[in-house]
Amino acid sequence: MEKKHDHNPLRWLNLMVSEPYYLSHFLAFFSYFVLRTSSSLVLSPHITHRLLHWEIQGILVLSVLAVIKCVKEETWEAFVADILFFAKLLLVAITLILDYHLALWYIVIFSVIYISTQQPAFQGQGTSNKLTPLQLEALLTEGNTSRFWLVEFYAFYSSACIRASRCFPELSIIYSTKNLSFGRVDLGLFPNAAEKFGISLSGGMSQLPTYILFENNAEVTRFPEWDFEAKSSHPPVSKRLLYKHFELDRHLVEYLNCK
């Protein structure tokens, strides 16, 4: 498996400046340090000491959460989303000590960021093929390509799809063979195709992302399962979940044994 974090600092610095999602969060958090420096000149020593105590506790809590999430999460996108969420909660809690009006302003700012920007998804394709619904149907019905197709149905307006956007391309690099191909269909561009493949796009019951394994033109299995709507939730998408659910190791071993 590939490492989930790219440690090239220049790449992430460029991403922070060029992506509105990251830039707006950086400016919001940086503004606190400006306000904190200005307020220290007018606050009483008692309040300043109390505020410093809360800030230290907040940094320690965020550090512990970052370590836990770094171990638990498989993708950079999921890690960043979780840490930014916790950081925003801590910032609002700390600003309540300064002035509840300031806390309300930060809530408004973060709400505007949430509405006006979107976390960028992983842009790599791996060895998967980006398909239209018609192309997928032709590949499945003609039967002159791979025997198996594992297809990801996604839409990047879904936060779940963004969090999992790195998993499928990285799996395709490892498990693609002449017998098993990987394809991706963007239901954000082709929403009418969702019904054909039995995928719900409705708000609270959205089934995105959905992964379907086809053998020739027949569906073998999918994730989430058909009874998704009967369940309150399903496990978050991860590389481990996908290669176990679709038995990708078995497909790879069978292909290698037949060579």
Side-chain angles (χ1 to χ4, degrees):
M1 297 282 180
E2 294 185 3
K3 293 181 179 179
K4 67 179 173 181
H5 300 300
D6 184 345
H7 295 291
N8 186 342
L10 292 178
R11 179 177 180 273
W12 293 116
L13 181 61
N14 179 67
L15 195 63
M16 181 180 295
V17 174
S18 60
E19 287 290 348
Y21 177 84
Y22 293 123
L23 179 61
S24 56
H25 277 93
F26 172 77
L27 293 175
F29 287 114
F30 182 76
S31 68
Y32 171 77
F33 295 101
V34 177
L35 293 170
R36 175 69 167 85
T37 303
S38 303
S39 63
S40 62
L41 301 175
V42 296
L43 293 176
S44 66
H46 172 71
I47 296 179
T48 301
H49 178 75
R50 182 185 174 195
L51 182 60
L52 179 61
H53 178 72
W54 274 74
E55 287 171 342
I56 294 173
Q57 285 189 329
I59 292 173
L60 290 175
V61 169
L62 189 60
S63 299
V64 171
L65 290 172
V67 171
I68 294 173
K69 289 297 180 180
C70 186
V71 174
K72 183 179 178 181
E73 297 291 355
E74 281 194 348
T75 68
W76 167 260
E77 290 74 22
F79 174 78
V80 169
D82 288 341
I83 294 304
L84 284 178
F85 175 73
F86 292 131
K88 287 183 278 190
L89 289 180
L90 288 171
L91 181 60
V92 171
I94 290 173
T95 51
L96 283 172
I97 300 173
L98 286 172
D99 188 340
Y100 77 91
H101 293 96
L102 183 59
L104 290 176
W105 269 111
Y106 272 110
I107 292 174
V108 171
I109 290 171
F110 290 136
S111 298
V112 171
I113 292 174
Y114 175 79
I115 294 171
S116 60
T117 67
Q118 183 181 48
Q119 182 180 4
F122 178 67
Q123 296 302 315
Q125 289 291 323
T127 59
S128 62
N129 301 280
K130 196 169 184 179
L131 306 170
T132 67
L134 289 177
Q135 288 173 328
L136 175 60
E137 187 174 358
L139 288 169
L140 295 177
T141 54
E142 289 173 3
N144 56 1
T145 57
S146 297
R147 174 186 172 188
F148 293 97
W149 274 89
L150 181 57
V151 183
E152 177 186 42
F153 297 87
Y154 68 97
F156 283 148
Y157 59 74
S158 164
S159 60
C161 291
I162 293 174
R163 292 173 66 94
S165 58
R166 190 179 295 261
C167 297
F168 197 76
E170 292 186 351
L171 286 177
S172 71
I173 295 172
I174 301 169
Y175 293 104
S176 287
T177 66
K178 293 182 179 179
N179 202 38
L180 173 62
S181 295
F182 289 70
R184 308 180 76 201
V185 176
D186 188 349
L187 294 183
L189 296 177
F190 307 101
N192 293 334
E195 184 177 356
K196 174 179 175 59
F197 293 99
I199 301 171
S200 172
L201 301 181
S202 59
M205 298 306 297
S206 175
Q207 295 174 320
L208 296 177
T210 286
Y211 304 86
I212 302 179
L213 179 65
F214 297 94
E215 182 177 6
N216 297 323
N217 194 27
E219 178 179 329
V220 178
T221 185
R222 67 168 58 201
F223 179 85
E225 301 284 0
W226 281 104
D227 61 345
F228 167 78
E229 295 191 9
K231 301 178 181 179
S232 58
S233 63
H234 63 82
V237 175
S238 67
K239 287 182 286 188
R240 182 183 299 272
L241 182 148
L242 292 177
Y243 77 69
K244 284 186 175 181
H245 184 85
F246 294 104
E247 299 181 305
L248 297 182
D249 287 329
R250 179 178 63 81
H251 285 283
L252 180 60
V253 170
E254 288 178 354
Y255 170 74
L256 294 175
N257 288 338
C258 292
K259 288 184 68 176

